[in-house]
Amino acid sequence: MSERGPATAPSHDSSPESPSARTATATASLTRARRTSLLVTFILGGLTALPPLSMDMYLPALPQVTDALNSPAATIQLTLTACLAGMALGQLVIGPMSDKWGRRRPLLVGMVVYVLATAICALAPTAELLIAFRLLQGLAGAAGVVIARAVVRDLYDGDEMARFFSTLMLISGAAPIVAPLIGGQVLRFADWRGVFVVLTGVGTVLTLMVWRGLGETLPLERRHTGGVGSALRTMRGLLGDRVFAGYTLTGGFAFAVLFSYISASPFVVQEIYGASPQTFSLLFGLNSVGLILVGQINGKLLVGRVRLDKVLAVGLAVVLVSAVSLLLMATGVFGEVGLPPIATALFVLMSAMGIVLPNTNAQALMRTPHAAGSASALLGTSSFLVGAIASPLVGIAGEDTAVPMAVVQLVCALLALSAFLGLCRPWQSSNSSPADNSSPTGV
């Protein structure tokens, strides 16, 4: 599939000296420079790493926060839910804004607010205030993840976009490895508030990198001029596309499987199986290594050789089998099991996400070059909202059983597979993008 956008469109002006020809040439040169810039790749990777950084660095501290703020585990898990819900709702607003005003300005504003909100989290005296500021942190941090996806769509198409998403996973996937390790080490020298101090520093560095190294990727002629009504019509048109909706739901439910693990694993691994925060961090990091390696296999070996839908189907099947295995072990079907079998099943589940997540994003965004920001917002919002709902459910039976986590994972895996088969219908060869015949405000 060829790359799209004004940066690669040939000029039809007969004079190479005309303003339109010079503009096209300059835009093409700028786009090539952006694509080959290692700094831009790291910036986009850092932006997509913002959610796991915000969540995972904090995970080893969850039991400590529960004791320090004298709150039950279900309440403290709402600090994760609040951040996740904020990122979901923030994307719904910021995505269309970036289609109208460009990518750079909304991104910079969001990053500055994220840094301030994270600093305030470190000072929160009660669980209620921590939940409130985590919500604000998520709302602002949404700018990074939603605009990063839109920038990728501005610059890439087809298999190249799927490969670039896999490359981003190499960078953003390192966050779940490094974040819990850093969080565990911070807890050696400080309490849970020190985790937010470190996050504030990370956000500040990333904001400076965006300001200095990331230019505008959405040309003026491709921006939307409408207001709220136009944005809503665009989203309604996107959701009216059955295949786009299918990939959106597939990715959303798959993310819920992932986030139910993220939310419950600190209690499952530490409270039920007696692991230390450092051991939990190492296991969490190992799982993230699996996700990165499979993501690179996807991008380097599978994309362009095997249909993305076939690869995605295999990934969903592996997630489903892993969820069934976890439920059987958690309910005692195999008798009393220790940490190694549980950790193995979680490793396989996390690794499969290296196939599922980049391919659902790529398949959905291939259909929406005319509204990448809005499409990215819908993808992110569905994922984070479903994940936010799944988070408190995994702790509904307390801290002494892993059954709720396994049940939530199995249900969400079944829903993801059902959406993929029922709406995307991968066996059909007519799922070509409708974007070329679409208006800028709908599909």
Side-chain angles (χ1 to χ4, degrees):
M1 185 177 289
S2 62
E3 295 170 357
R4 297 176 185 168
T8 57
S11 172
H12 297 288
D13 196 304
S14 58
S15 172
E17 300 300 324
S18 66
S20 62
R22 289 195 298 270
T23 300
T25 301
T27 305
S29 299
L30 182 58
T31 300
R32 285 193 297 271
R34 287 170 182 154
R35 288 180 178 172
T36 57
S37 171
L38 186 60
L39 176 61
V40 169
T41 302
F42 275 112
I43 290 173
L44 296 178
L47 293 174
T48 57
L50 203 58
L53 283 175
S54 300
M55 301 291 177
D56 301 344
M57 194 180 296
Y58 175 61
L59 291 179
L62 279 179
Q64 186 183 113
V65 178
T66 300
D67 295 334
L69 298 183
N70 195 27
S71 298
T75 299
I76 297 304
Q77 282 175 327
L78 287 176
T79 62
L80 295 175
T81 301
C83 186
L84 201 61
M87 287 188 175
L89 297 175
Q91 289 183 70
L92 205 58
V93 174
I94 297 170
M97 285 173 55
S98 73
D99 282 337
K100 180 177 181 180
W101 293 322
R103 314 300 186 202
R104 182 175 165 82
R105 281 189 295 170
L107 177 57
L108 284 171
V109 172
M111 290 302 300
V112 169
V113 176
Y114 171 87
V115 170
L116 295 176
T118 305
I120 295 173
C121 284
L123 305 175
T126 65
E128 292 74 17
L129 286 175
L130 181 60
I131 291 170
F133 287 125
R134 287 282 279 175
L135 177 65
L136 178 60
Q137 182 192 41
L139 287 168
V145 64
V146 70
I147 292 178
R149 278 195 303 264
V151 168
V152 174
R153 186 61 187 90
D154 291 340
L155 301 180
Y156 293 93
D157 197 5
D159 288 345
E160 286 193 357
M161 181 165 55
R163 290 191 185 96
F164 194 81
F165 274 126
S166 294
T167 300
L168 288 187
M169 186 163 288
L170 178 62
I171 303 170
S172 62
I177 300 174
V178 177
L181 293 174
I182 295 176
Q185 295 306 311
V186 169
L187 293 179
R188 287 177 173 269
F189 306 101
D191 63 6
W192 62 271
R193 299 179 189 276
V195 174
F196 287 105
V197 173
V198 175
L199 279 173
T200 301
V202 171
T204 300
V205 171
L206 188 55
T207 302
L208 292 174
M209 291 177 66
V210 170
W211 179 52
R212 296 294 301 272
L214 185 64
E216 183 57 64
T217 62
L218 185 66
L220 290 173
E221 61 269 23
R222 290 176 56 189
R223 298 183 189 181
H224 292 186
T225 57
V228 175
S230 176
L232 292 176
R233 285 192 297 272
T234 299
M235 290 187 175
R236 183 176 60 189
L238 292 170
L239 292 175
D241 174 16
R242 170 180 54 82
V243 180
F244 174 83
Y247 286 121
T248 300
L249 290 174
T250 300
F253 286 120
F255 187 83
V257 175
L258 176 64
F259 196 75
S260 63
Y261 156 74
I262 291 174
S263 181
S265 59
F267 297 98
V268 171
V269 174
Q270 295 181 79
E271 301 297 327
I272 298 177
Y273 292 98
S276 67
Q278 289 70 38
T279 300
F280 163 73
S281 299
L282 289 172
L283 289 175
F284 198 93
L286 181 63
N287 291 340
S288 300
V289 169
L291 184 147
I292 291 175
L293 291 177
V294 173
Q296 295 312 295
I297 292 172
N298 177 69
K300 305 297 184 183
L301 300 179
L302 300 180
V303 172
R305 294 179 174 87
V306 183
R307 277 188 58 192
L308 294 183
D309 277 334
K310 290 184 178 180
V311 179
L312 180 54
V314 171
L316 290 171
V318 173
V319 170
L320 182 60
V321 171
S322 300
V324 171
S325 301
L326 283 166
L327 181 58
L328 293 176
M329 286 187 285
T331 53
V333 171
F334 302 125
E336 190 73 24
V337 298
L339 181 58
I342 294 289
T344 300
L346 289 173
F347 174 81
V348 174
L349 184 147
M350 280 283 285
S351 298
M353 291 297 168
I355 289 177
V356 174
L357 297 182
N359 288 343
T360 51
N361 282 337
Q363 291 283 70
L365 289 173
M366 281 180 197
R367 305 178 65 82
T368 59
H370 59 288
S374 295
S376 177
L378 289 172
L379 285 169
T381 297
S382 64
S383 297
F384 282 87
L385 278 181
V386 177
I389 294 171
S391 175
L393 294 179
V394 299
I396 199 169
E399 305 173 22
D400 300 324
T401 175
V403 171
M405 178 190 75
V407 169
V408 171
Q409 288 177 332
L410 178 57
V411 170
C412 290
L414 286 171
L415 290 172
L417 186 60
S418 299
F420 177 61
L421 296 177
L423 295 176
C424 302
R425 301 174 188 174
W427 58 87
Q428 296 180 349
S429 59
S430 59
N431 288 343
S432 58
S433 171
D436 293 335
N437 299 318
S438 304
S439 69
T441 59
V443 180

